[in-house]
């Protein structure tokens, strides 16, 4: 069976993406910091007939991330899709938001580490085997501010835009190799409780966009506007 690895897997988008691919015959490797959370998700997916396994790792710890992806390959026999969408739902040291005029090296660097460097490390672990096989898909997620920046997220958007730029350029480099890289920009508030006037959507509404990008290799990016 084909396998998808979801980096930053949680009970929202990660679970929805797992169900979207798992329901179409994929095995699922779930990667995130919290082992207990991952095991709960594995249990839920198992009850739905989806083969899944947990591989705890921190995207800020590059060796642990590479080891988790290697373990996923050993467990499932390969990796066909890598999806990168970590989102800190618990405090991460050094993480703050800043408007553009208050962005500093100190408050930007953690966002770069989390968004861009983590994605580059994940791709570095998965890409060589995909290239050798002549097949594979790399999907990277950010908020919509990577395309249309929001002043209150000046540092976050800068890091996300850097990731988007790198992904689009990577896809150009990979043209003709059988490997596809794409960027997903989610331009809505996911779930309930968002700010007034901001459109919302459920993870289940957004997840099909990932399958669409997987199937349509001609698309280097997709934007979900609700």
């Amino acid at each position: 069976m084909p396998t998808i690895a979801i980096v930053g897997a949680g009970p929202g988008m990660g679970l929805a993406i797992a169900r979207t691919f798992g329901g179409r015959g994929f095995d699922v490797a779930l990667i995130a910091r919290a082992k207990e959370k991952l095991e709960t998700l594995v249990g839920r997916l198992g009850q739905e007939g989806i083969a899944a396994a947990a591989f705890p790792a921190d995207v800020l710890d590059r060796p642990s991330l590479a080891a988790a992806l290697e373990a996923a390959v050993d467990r499932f026999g390969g990796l066909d899709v890598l999806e990168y969408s970590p989102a800190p739902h618990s405090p991460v040291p050094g993480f703050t938001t800043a408007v553009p005029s208050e962005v500093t090296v100190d408050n930007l660097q953690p966002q770069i580490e989390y968004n861009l460097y983590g994605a580059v490390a994940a791709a570095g672990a998965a890409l060589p085997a995909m290239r050798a096989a002549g097949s594979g898909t790399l999907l990277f997620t950010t908020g919509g501010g990577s395309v249309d920046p929001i002043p209150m997220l000046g540092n976050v958007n800068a890091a996300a835009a850097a990731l988007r730029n790198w992904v689009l350029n990577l896809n150009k480099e990979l043209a003709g190799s059988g490997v596809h890289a794409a960027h997903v920009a989610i331009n809505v508030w996911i779930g309930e409780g968002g700010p007034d006037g901001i459109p919302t959507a459920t993870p289940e509404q957004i997840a099909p966009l990932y399958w669409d990008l997987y199937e349509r290799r001609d698309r280097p990016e997709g934007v979900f506007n609700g």
Side-chain angles (χ1 to χ4, degrees):
M1 285 189 177
T3 300
I4 181 172
I6 301 171
V7 180
M13 282 306 310
L15 181 58
I17 294 168
R19 284 170 166 158
T20 296
F21 281 79
R24 292 169 170 83
F26 274 69
D27 292 331
V28 180
L30 301 174
I31 299 173
R33 289 185 295 166
K35 181 180 179 180
E36 296 78 9
K37 176 182 71 176
L38 292 178
E39 290 177 344
T40 297
L41 297 179
V42 168
R44 292 174 66 178
L45 291 169
Q47 291 174 357
E48 298 170 20
I50 297 171
F55 303 92
D58 187 339
V59 299
L60 296 175
D61 180 350
R62 315 294 181 233
S64 80
L65 179 56
L69 287 165
E70 182 179 353
V73 170
D74 289 343
R75 168 68 174 79
F76 291 114
L79 183 61
D80 300 273
V81 180
L82 170 70
E83 193 278 322
Y84 184 89
S85 57
H89 296 292
S90 57
V92 176
F95 268 47
T96 60
T97 58
V99 297
S101 63
E102 295 178 0
V103 171
T104 65
V105 171
D106 287 341
N107 64 40
L108 177 58
Q109 185 62 35
Q111 301 295 339
I112 293 287
E113 293 276 353
Y114 197 78
N115 285 281
L116 179 60
Y117 294 169
V120 170
L127 187 53
M130 289 183 175
R131 274 182 146 159
S135 177
T137 299
L138 305 164
L139 303 172
F140 302 89
T141 304
T142 69
S146 60
V147 179
D148 183 13
I150 304 167
M152 63 181 281
L153 299 174
N155 56 342
V156 178
N157 290 168
L163 173 57
R164 175 176 179 268
N165 180 281
W166 174 77
V167 173
L168 297 184
N169 208 17
L170 176 62
N171 190 58
K172 290 180 180 180
E173 178 194 347
L174 294 173
S177 70
V179 184
H180 170 227
H183 172 249
V184 178
I186 301 177
N187 201 30
V188 297
W189 184 273
I190 303 173
E192 300 177 349
D196 291 341
I198 301 297
T200 65
T202 66
E204 291 73 22
Q205 289 173 314
I206 301 169
L209 175 59
Y210 292 81
W211 183 259
D212 185 51
L213 286 170
Y214 166 70
E215 285 201 309
R216 296 181 57 185
R217 306 302 177 89
D218 59 321
R219 293 184 60 190
E221 61 182 324
V223 179
F224 189 90
N225 290 311

